Amino acid sequence: MCGIIGAVSKDDVVPVLLEGLKRLEYRGYDSAGLAVLDGDNHLARRRRQGKVALLADEILQHPCAGMIGIAHTRWATHGVPSEANAHPHRSHGIALVHNGIIENHESLRQELESRGYRFESDTDTETVAHLIHSIRKERPDLCSAVLEAQRCLKGAYALLILDEGSPDVLIALRMGSPMVIGFGRRATYVASDVTALLPLTQDFLFLEDYEVSELRVPDDSRPSCRVWSGAGTPIERPPTRITLVPNAAERGTFRHFMLKEIHEQPRAVAETLEQRISREHILESALGYRTREILPQVKAVHLVACGSSYHAGLVARQWFERLAQVPAAVEIASEYRYRPLCLPEGTLLVGISQSGETADTLAAFRRAKTMPYVGCLAICNVAESAMMREAELGLLTRAGPEIGVASTKAFVTQLTLLLWLSLGLAKSRGLLTEDLEKKAVMELRHLPALLERLLGLDSEICNWARLLTQYDHALYVAREMHEPIAREGALKLKEIAYIQAESYPAGELKHGPLALIDPKMAVIGLIPDNHLTDKMKSNLEVIRARDGHLFLVADPGLEILEGKNVHVLRLPEGPAEFTSPIAYTLPLQLLAYHVAILRNHDVDQPRNLAKSVTVE
């Protein structure tokens, strides 16, 4: 979603704010802006629709400088993308930036308009600026006024506020949207993401819901950051040192972050498995004491996630049922959080999120913690995220920072960790035989090397992509645990190539989707060598007979007749009983990437999408 950054410094903050916005571009946005208090403590604001580079050009043409400032990249929710709707918004010397949604903005707007306030934008955010100003008339202290305003707000928000009347402080407020404070030698920073601050500091403090912070220039005589609860109670919390390095969010020699992250998957999987498997065994100690204590009690599993993480859960459901022999249900988080639940005894909740800040998944996870699950386990890629901080049980994927909006290495490491967890649950239930454990561990140990070999298919996949650019519609088909991988492939093509794509279980073709088959429809099929191979071939013959155009990804050695409108891409090795769904993921990622490039799309920042969905 939107990105925010602020700074209070002994130096001009404008270069820091612009660089922070550039580092937050991966989150997705349609406009950018900043505001600083200049040397006379007057508010200077610059905004532009479009990319951060346009904002930088605006500042070159109309310079501004100051030692306290805020900046924002906006992803439109209320009001179209425009300069008028871009942040920061202001009210009589107060300026603020906002991530999230103010759900009661309409009633607040009506009340403020009745008091004489005039609105310049269509946003919910401007309401907050006027609200704080109206309270400020009665409460001279800015922080006190912000705390009072918070009591009037409903929704999710992270806010940064500065005021000409309090020129030496910057106020940060968080409810439901992430916010982190960074401590430098000559400055104090705040942002929606540590990525924006990594070149500046590695010492961070993560605000919790309803907390308000007052930031000042570092000074030996006073703290640079003070934090209060929503009730106004002072909070003492030591900073956390983050070990990520600044160049973790750089493209290096790769053309795009997405391509870099696809190529990082062998290393990411190896690191995810590090100290979790030995030569022949699942290392149960890596589950942690609490998780090991709970797993023998588990009689069912609920998996809750959104987007690609939901697809990972669909694959994991079959691993849990096949290996651990417990029923597993997969829920879309945005639906789970609202519907009545029938909770079987002994159910483990597994929340899956790349960022750990996904609004729906986080809200579902919080709801689950109030229910009689035997445990709530978070699987996430960001150790400092809200989900991991709140989790009683947590397992961290080790993909490293993922900048591209379309998830690649985060998805593959989720699958890897979920397979490992399924094996761990089976072992705790006494269902993992010695031979089965050795076989599964062997496949996991070999997985990084297999992914490395799969990258060697790039040139063949690029040739496929040239053919696929002529189609505006695509149908992905597969069976059993590969069907969620087909869904993920279709999602990738939609996300970055803007081709209408959907996925169906191949056995469902005759129940409706077959009506779509004609020469204008590309059909991408997954054919692993397993007990359903012959049935899958039969499903594909039905498509071929109707002049469907087939693009088939298959295990080596399978007899598949190539010919006109039938193209076959063979994996370098197979079959794999456990890791096959993970192996089939990588070619589909590369396919979507190359099609998008050939169609001249921005693969790292696709239109209308954001990396971290922090609002409902």
Side-chain angles (χ1 to χ4, degrees):
M1 276 299 161
C2 311
I4 57 177
I5 183 171
V8 183
S9 175
K10 297 179 180 180
D11 307 301
D12 178 23
V13 299
V14 170
V16 170
L17 297 178
L18 285 173
E19 181 60 29
L21 292 183
K22 290 175 184 176
R23 297 180 71 86
L24 289 170
E25 285 187 296
Y26 75 94
R27 294 170 70 95
Y29 69 106
D30 49 56
S31 59
L34 62 76
V36 295
L37 292 177
D38 63 21
D40 297 322
N41 295 329
H42 292 151
L43 190 66
R45 180 177 63 165
R46 304 288 184 267
R47 301 182 297 174
R48 285 295 297 268
Q49 181 182 345
K51 298 297 184 182
V52 172
L54 296 177
L55 175 64
D57 290 341
E58 172 75 11
I59 292 169
L60 281 176
Q61 296 173 32
H62 303 92
C64 60
M67 293 187 291
I68 176 170
I70 56 179
H72 188 272
T73 51
R74 177 180 186 255
W75 190 80
T77 54
H78 296 79
V80 300
S82 68
E83 185 172 317
N85 287 330
H87 298 214
H89 291 285
R90 63 186 180 187
S91 177
H92 305 278
I94 292 173
L96 60 79
V97 292
H98 166 222
N99 287 357
I101 290 178
I102 306 302
E103 294 179 351
N104 61 331
H105 73 98
E106 291 181 347
S107 59
L108 288 173
R109 185 178 185 124
Q110 291 174 2
E111 181 180 345
L112 288 162
E113 284 178 331
S114 71
R115 297 184 198 173
Y117 286 94
R118 295 293 174 259
F119 285 75
E120 300 175 349
S121 75
D122 301 317
T123 68
D124 54 336
T125 302
E126 190 181 358
T127 303
V128 184
H130 293 316
L131 175 64
I132 293 173
H133 180 264
S134 70
I135 296 172
R136 190 94 154 91
K137 295 176 182 177
E138 307 294 330
R139 290 176 176 258
D141 178 70
L142 178 59
C143 191
S144 176
V146 170
L147 281 167
E148 181 65 27
Q150 178 176 234
R151 299 185 181 101
C152 302
L153 302 178
K154 296 179 181 178
Y157 45 84
L159 293 161
L160 296 184
I161 305 115
L162 54 80
D163 186 352
E164 291 177 341
S166 299
D168 60 342
V169 299
L170 174 60
I171 302 297
L173 170 65
R174 175 244 164 102
M175 168 53 213
S177 290
M179 181 169 287
V180 60
I181 296 167
F183 300 93
R185 188 171 57 87
R186 295 178 58 84
T188 307
Y189 311 99
V190 61
S192 51
D193 190 323
V194 296
T195 302
L197 304 180
L198 278 176
L200 305 168
T201 180
Q202 289 183 300
D203 295 318
F204 298 99
L205 186 151
F206 295 87
L207 290 185
E208 304 292 345
D209 280 349
Y210 297 109
E211 290 182 350
V212 177
S213 179
E214 180 185 86
L215 282 66
R216 295 178 180 270
V217 176
D219 189 310
D220 293 338
S221 65
R222 64 185 179 189
S224 62
C225 171
R226 293 190 293 174
V227 181
W228 293 268
S229 70
T233 304
I235 292 173
E236 296 290 337
R237 185 183 306 128
T240 299
R241 173 147 283 232
I242 303 301
T243 57
L244 292 173
V245 294
N247 62 8
E250 301 294 337
R251 285 200 308 268
T253 60
F254 291 93
R255 184 179 176 186
H256 298 96
F257 279 112
M258 183 179 179
L259 184 61
K260 173 178 179 275
E261 288 153 8
I262 290 172
H263 280 260
E264 287 176 341
Q265 288 177 134
R267 175 202 55 78
V269 166
E271 292 191 9
T272 294
L273 291 171
E274 186 177 352
Q275 297 183 9
R276 286 172 169 154
I277 58 174
S278 67
R279 186 174 181 82
E280 295 182 341
H281 299 289
I282 299 294
L283 298 180
E284 296 170 278
S285 60
L287 289 162
Y289 172 75
R290 286 281 292 127
T291 305
R292 296 201 313 273
E293 184 182 65
I294 285 172
L295 286 189
Q297 306 171 41
V298 173
K299 300 177 183 177
V301 176
H302 275 178
L303 300 114
V304 178
C306 298
S308 293
S309 298
Y310 172 71
H311 297 157
L314 290 173
V315 178
R317 176 182 65 184
Q318 302 196 46
W319 283 328
F320 279 117
E321 294 188 341
R322 180 177 299 184
L323 295 166
Q325 297 180 24
V326 295
V330 191
E331 303 272 359
I332 294 175
S334 57
E335 300 299 322
Y336 167 92
R337 59 185 291 198
Y338 293 116
R339 72 174 184 83
L341 290 172
C342 179
L343 189 62
E345 180 183 351
T347 301
L348 173 71
L349 189 284
V350 179
I352 313 168
S353 172
Q354 181 272 323
S355 68
E357 304 286 356
T358 305
D360 288 313
T361 307
L362 189 54
F365 192 76
R366 288 169 175 165
R367 180 194 181 192
K369 289 172 66 178
T370 68
M371 302 176 67
Y373 286 99
V374 295
C376 294
L377 171 67
I379 289 180
C380 183
N381 189 44
V382 183
E384 303 81 21
S385 65
M387 181 177 285
M388 290 300 285
R389 295 199 308 272
E390 296 179 17
E392 57 174 327
L393 309 171
L395 290 173
L396 191 66
T397 59
R398 298 165 185 156
E402 186 178 69
I403 306 302
V405 166
S407 181
T408 53
K409 63 177 180 174
F411 176 72
V412 164
T413 52
Q414 285 174 351
L415 287 174
T416 302
L417 194 54
L418 285 162
L419 173 55
W420 177 82
L421 178 61
S422 304
L423 292 163
L425 178 57
K427 191 170 184 177
S428 74
R429 291 170 55 83
L431 297 171
L432 195 62
T433 66
E434 185 176 341
D435 288 343
L436 192 61
E437 183 176 10
K438 286 182 181 179
K439 182 178 181 181
V441 169
M442 181 181 68
E443 287 192 19
L444 284 171
R445 285 170 56 84
H446 181 62
L447 184 56
L450 173 57
L451 293 174
E452 197 71 58
R453 292 191 66 190
L454 287 165
L455 290 170
L457 298 173
D458 188 73
S459 60
E460 291 181 68
I461 294 170
C462 195
N463 291 334
W464 267 27
R466 293 188 182 96
L467 298 173
L468 279 167
T469 54
Q470 64 186 294
Y471 299 93
D472 291 322
H473 306 281
L475 179 66
Y476 285 67
V477 293
R479 301 202 64 143
E480 206 177 44
M481 68 174 56
H482 291 77
E483 190 273 328
I485 302 303
R487 292 197 198 196
E488 175 66 10
L491 176 61
K492 287 290 160 284
L493 201 66
K494 278 185 280 199
E495 285 179 311
I496 62 172
Y498 312 154
I499 291 177
Q500 170 54 37
E502 62 179 318
S503 173
Y504 261 85
E508 283 288 291
L509 285 169
K510 295 178 182 178
H511 297 276
L514 205 58
L516 295 172
I517 301 301
D518 64 18
K520 298 178 182 179
M521 171 72 76
V523 180
I524 294 94
L526 309 185
I527 317 179
D529 187 359
N530 60 25
H531 64 290
L532 287 176
T533 301
D534 289 340
K535 292 187 181 297
M536 183 65 188
K537 287 182 179 180
S538 297
N539 299 144
L540 295 172
E541 284 299 328
V542 173
I543 296 173
R544 193 201 303 254
R546 286 155 180 81
D547 204 20
H549 291 196
L550 290 166
F551 296 81
L552 308 178
V553 184
D555 273 4
L558 291 177
E559 293 185 6
I560 303 172
L561 183 63
E562 297 186 56
K564 183 181 178 182
N565 299 329
V566 180
H567 312 276
V568 182
L569 177 74
R570 298 186 185 275
L571 302 190
E573 58 184 78
E577 181 177 350
F578 303 101
T579 59
S580 181
I582 304 174
Y584 272 80
T585 300
L586 193 148
L588 300 186
Q589 294 171 347
L590 283 172
L591 183 62
Y593 171 82
H594 286 299
V595 173
I597 293 300
L598 291 168
R599 290 166 71 97
N600 296 314
H601 297 317
D602 186 342
V603 296
D604 287 334
Q605 298 173 36
R607 67 189 183 200
N608 304 330
L609 299 180
K611 180 62 176 172
S612 181
V613 184
T614 55
V615 296
E616 184 176 354

